[in-house]
Amino acid sequence: MKLFGIEIDGRSREEIFKDIVKRIDSSQRVFVVTANAVIMLKVKENPKYRKAVESADLVVPDGSGIVLVSKLKGKRISKYPGVELARDLVSEGSKKKWKFYLLGARERVVSKLAKDLKQRGVNVCGYHHGYFDGKGPVEEISEKKPDIILVAMGVPKQELWIYENMEKFRKGLFIGVGGTFDVMAGFKKRAPKWMVKAGLEWLYRIFQDPKRWKVLFRLFRFFIYALLDRG
Ligand code: UDP
């Protein structure tokens, strides 16, 4: 399905995951965007961010807003939340001994996650918090050549960082995963299953962090633009 000129992957999550695994196994350099309403609104309103998302190899539907819009437009796509994709990558990667690099979140969050994953047998070759000035750990990543670089710095920072630095790396799957590190390291809870199923994860996140209420305006703007959009 095309939304605001961006092709959103309409395959099943199994097919998407298989494709991603194939690309990692063949040492390709890949940029994956996990698109939700906030990301798509940024695409619509920010030309630089649009360029970043346009340069992605895969745009996976992460949010219920996108799935709902596709349904209203008569197209069926299934949701593949970034936090679940990240978990699938970690679980497949621990079997295949892929090398992971964790970039983003606060120091205490990312260091705890790195430690936890290593204890579970995941090959974490390095990590860095997401509050740096300048270009961040580009040289370290170039040297260590990880297979997967999980970038958890929020929107738009994570996709812009990948877009601006991607050319400097030979290989690796680069994926923006938002607040996933806080959830994986146990600092924040994910919404209960029934809320995820009902497509209400965004509401749970507002309860968790009331400062997020402004996101409602963004969701509203996204729906207006999306329903008027002709692809
Ligand atoms: N974050 C970061 N650097 C920044 C801003 C945010 O590493 O400059 C991290 C933050 O600690 C959190 C994640 O990015 O772990 C997601 O942040 P937020 O919830 O604000 O973004 P969203 O999920 O709304 O994209």
Side-chain angles (χ1 to χ4, degrees):
M1 180 189 73
K2 251 194 167 172
L3 190 61
F4 309 151
I6 303 286
E7 188 63 45
I8 308 218
D9 207 317
R11 292 175 295 172
S12 71
R13 44 196 290 171
E14 290 76 21
E15 283 173 298
I16 293 175
F17 190 65
K18 234 170 126 181
D19 183 8
I20 291 177
V21 170
K22 202 174 81 194
R23 291 172 191 245
I24 298 170
D25 281 339
S26 55
S27 295
Q28 292 180 29
R29 188 178 61 192
V30 191
F31 175 14
V32 178
V33 170
T34 62
N36 57 23
V38 171
I39 286 188
M40 293 313 290
L41 187 65
K42 268 259 156 10
V43 164
K44 180 85 187 157
E45 297 183 339
N46 178 337
K48 191 168 169 208
Y49 190 71
R50 167 183 285 278
K51 278 205 161 154
V53 175
E54 273 173 353
S55 78
D57 300 286
L58 292 176
V59 181
V60 177
D62 157 288
S64 304
I66 292 192
V67 174
L68 181 60
V69 163
S70 75
K71 222 185 229 173
L72 294 173
K73 288 173 176 265
K75 296 192 176 109
R76 279 205 165 266
I77 56 173
S78 48
K79 189 166 76 167
Y80 197 173
V83 64
E84 288 171 30
L85 176 51
R87 282 199 175 128
D88 291 345
L89 287 170
V90 166
S91 120
E92 184 78 9
S94 67
K95 284 183 232 150
K96 295 202 161 166
K97 294 283 162 243
W98 288 335
K99 265 204 262 180
F100 285 81
Y101 192 95
L102 313 177
L103 173 60
R106 300 261 169 212
E107 172 68 29
R108 67 192 179 108
V109 174
V110 68
S111 59
K112 176 167 187 296
L113 181 60
K115 199 171 131 211
D116 290 354
L117 291 178
K118 278 183 194 167
Q119 268 168 4
R120 283 172 44 196
V122 179
N123 183 359
V124 179
C125 67
Y127 65 86
H128 197 288
H129 65 79
Y131 293 85
F132 51 83
D133 294 320
K135 61 189 168 70
V138 169
E139 261 127 55
E140 188 190 347
I141 296 174
S142 289
E143 266 165 36
K144 291 185 168 163
K145 300 186 184 63
D147 300 292
I148 299 182
I149 302 88
L150 300 176
V151 188
M153 299 194 287
V155 176
K157 201 173 168 187
Q158 55 193 23
E159 282 77 24
L160 289 175
W161 184 87
I162 295 174
Y163 175 59
E164 280 159 11
N165 295 293
M166 191 87 181
E167 288 289 306
K168 299 169 192 150
F169 309 112
R170 285 259 189 85
K171 66 168 231 183
L173 177 98
F174 293 78
I175 177 169
V177 291
T180 296
F181 289 0
D182 301 84
V183 176
M184 287 172 92
F187 286 84
K188 273 194 184 161
K189 277 212 180 102
R190 203 172 169 216
K193 271 202 182 108
W194 68 268
M195 277 186 113
V196 175
K197 261 200 180 144
L200 293 176
E201 200 155 4
W202 56 274
L203 189 60
Y204 182 81
R205 295 191 77 187
I206 294 175
F207 280 129
Q208 249 187 349
D209 183 2
K211 276 183 291 177
R212 280 180 175 275
W213 66 272
K214 282 188 200 141
V215 105
L216 288 176
F217 287 117
R218 289 196 227 153
L219 288 177
F220 184 71
R221 280 216 305 285
F222 164 75
F223 277 113
I224 300 291
Y225 282 139
L227 293 175
L228 295 174
D229 184 60
R230 296 271 164 263

